[in-house]
Amino acid sequence: MSGAGAVLSRQLAGRVAIVTGGASGIGKGICRVLAARGAMVAVVDLDGEAAGATAEEISAGEARAAHFQADVTDRASLDDVVGQVVDLYGHIDICVANAGVIAGPGFTERRDYTDDDWDATQSINLRGVVSTNDAVKAHMIERGAGRIINIASHSGRTPRGAPGSLGDIQIPYSVSKAGVIQWTMHLALQLGQHGITANAVCPGTLWTPMWERIANMRKRFDESVRDLSPREIFDRHIGLNVPLGRPQTPEDIGNAVAFLASDDARVITGQALNVNGGAMMN
Ligand SMILES: NC(=O)c1ccc[n+]([C@@H]2O[C@H](COP(=O)([O-])OP(=O)(O)OC[C@H]3O[C@@H](n4cnc5c(N)ncnc54)[C@H](O)[C@@H]3O)[C@@H](O)[C@H]2O)c1
């Protein structure tokens, strides 16, 4: 590699990143991109075994990664991970709060939300992000530097779907993601004076285990797609909703995160960046 490509590949050399939900889907893509650009990556997930597999895959090349089991709804487990990462790598430069769920357990079998859906989305998607950020904040303030990047969703920006449509089960999710965007802006206000930026990335539609569950739910309740496979339901959704006509990949989201974590983004804070093929424009 030469020229700009080589510079880009070392863009995050020496930086340490912590990524929650790093064992699967988007989080895994973020870990791969950050590691490929030179960062040492702490892969944090509820599923410790899968986090280990991701860390091993990343470490197979030149890059360095370690894995940690933690539940983002348990602040003590996040404090513990932050302490271990600092012990291992010396510091933390980048915090990516990505862990999230679409709804509560068993949601594919119902079309209307329940208390479980509100509890799961608020405690994991919103409070989990707040706790993850709070767990690294003191360390970053002490260093006078840091990049916080929270994974929201474009569904957190504006409501979609007619009342009573299939979208109802996703309302608690969308509200939790709107909360993540609002929280991130507050964080940017709070932490700017310490040289720390805080931004959100709003992915659009990606074929991950999360979207596969959504497709299964649609297959059950939407007669117009009953004969399609989950992947065909996803592809149809892309064709109908995405101007660029293609889904995003976990690496597309990783590229946006890497940009926000890089020196190129040093004066960007309090923003929410859509990475969605133009599916929603704001
Ligand atoms: N897939 C999409 O189309 C899409 C679109 C917009 C936003 N997002 C957001 O991107 C993020 C990742 O989604 P994904 O599609 O990769 O989902 P995924 O289900 O593939 O991965 C989520 C990961 O989070 C982990 N996790 C769940 N609960 C946790 C907890 N309490 N503590 C720690 N880890 C936990 C899971 O074990 C899993 O590894 C989520 O915040 C999601 O809302 C996804």
Side-chain angles (χ1 to χ4, degrees):
M1 194 183 297
S2 64
V7 172
L8 195 63
S9 78
R10 302 305 302 159
Q11 192 181 36
L12 300 175
R15 312 274 168 89
V16 178
I18 180 169
V19 182
T20 67
S24 172
I26 291 176
K28 195 170 181 175
I30 293 169
C31 290
R32 281 201 198 104
V33 172
L34 296 182
R37 296 192 189 193
M40 290 164 274
V41 179
V43 184
V44 182
D45 206 284
L46 189 60
D47 185 340
E49 205 175 309
T54 300
E56 196 176 325
E57 179 194 313
I58 290 170
S59 304
E62 271 180 33
R64 286 170 63 197
H67 72 281
F68 302 87
Q69 198 278 333
D71 182 344
V72 298
T73 67
D74 174 9
R75 172 66 193 268
S77 79
L78 291 166
D79 288 340
D80 189 44
V81 167
V82 166
Q84 288 186 59
V85 175
V86 172
D87 284 348
L88 182 67
Y89 293 128
H91 57 276
I92 297 173
D93 305 280
I94 303 160
C95 169
V96 186
N98 161 78
V101 294
I102 190 75
F107 83 93
T108 56
E109 283 155 38
R110 56 182 178 267
R111 51 169 292 157
D112 295 320
Y113 58 68
T114 64
D115 285 351
D116 283 349
D117 299 315
W118 284 102
D119 290 345
T121 53
Q122 300 308 304
S123 66
I124 300 171
N125 299 1
L126 180 53
R127 288 289 306 284
V129 167
V130 171
S131 295
T132 303
N133 298 163
D134 280 347
V136 295
K137 229 164 59 176
H139 173 75
M140 288 182 168
I141 289 172
E142 199 181 322
R143 300 187 74 225
R147 297 297 168 91
I148 292 174
I149 298 138
N150 294 329
I151 305 303
S153 165
H154 70 176
S155 70
R157 309 200 76 149
T158 191
R160 282 189 303 172
S165 77
L166 277 175
D168 285 7
I169 189 79
Q170 290 187 45
I171 290 174
Y173 175 82
S174 299
V175 172
S176 73
K177 293 299 187 177
V180 170
I181 294 169
Q182 180 73 205
W183 157 252
T184 305
M185 293 191 286
H186 279 288
L187 206 56
L189 271 181
Q190 195 185 50
L191 299 180
Q193 62 186 310
H194 300 289
I196 301 165
T197 68
N199 291 288
V201 170
C202 300
T205 312
L206 293 91
W207 184 247
T208 65
M210 177 179 279
W211 225 98
E212 192 169 358
R213 288 177 209 120
I214 296 170
N216 277 316
M217 186 272 290
R218 291 206 175 162
K219 191 171 168 63
R220 179 180 285 259
F221 293 112
D222 181 352
E223 279 181 19
S224 71
V225 299
R226 195 153 292 157
D227 295 333
L228 302 181
S229 69
R231 178 66 206 212
E232 286 168 337
I233 293 170
F234 174 81
D235 289 338
R236 185 170 176 270
H237 178 90
I238 296 294
L240 291 172
N241 294 290
V242 184
L244 284 179
R246 48 152 291 178
Q248 300 84 60
T249 65
E251 284 72 19
D252 289 327
I253 310 306
N255 290 338
V257 168
F259 164 67
L260 290 169
S262 76
D263 293 340
D264 291 339
R266 70 195 173 103
V267 293
I268 299 176
T269 196
Q271 306 303 311
L273 175 63
N274 287 344
V275 184
N276 65 359
M280 202 178 281
M281 302 180 188
N282 55 353

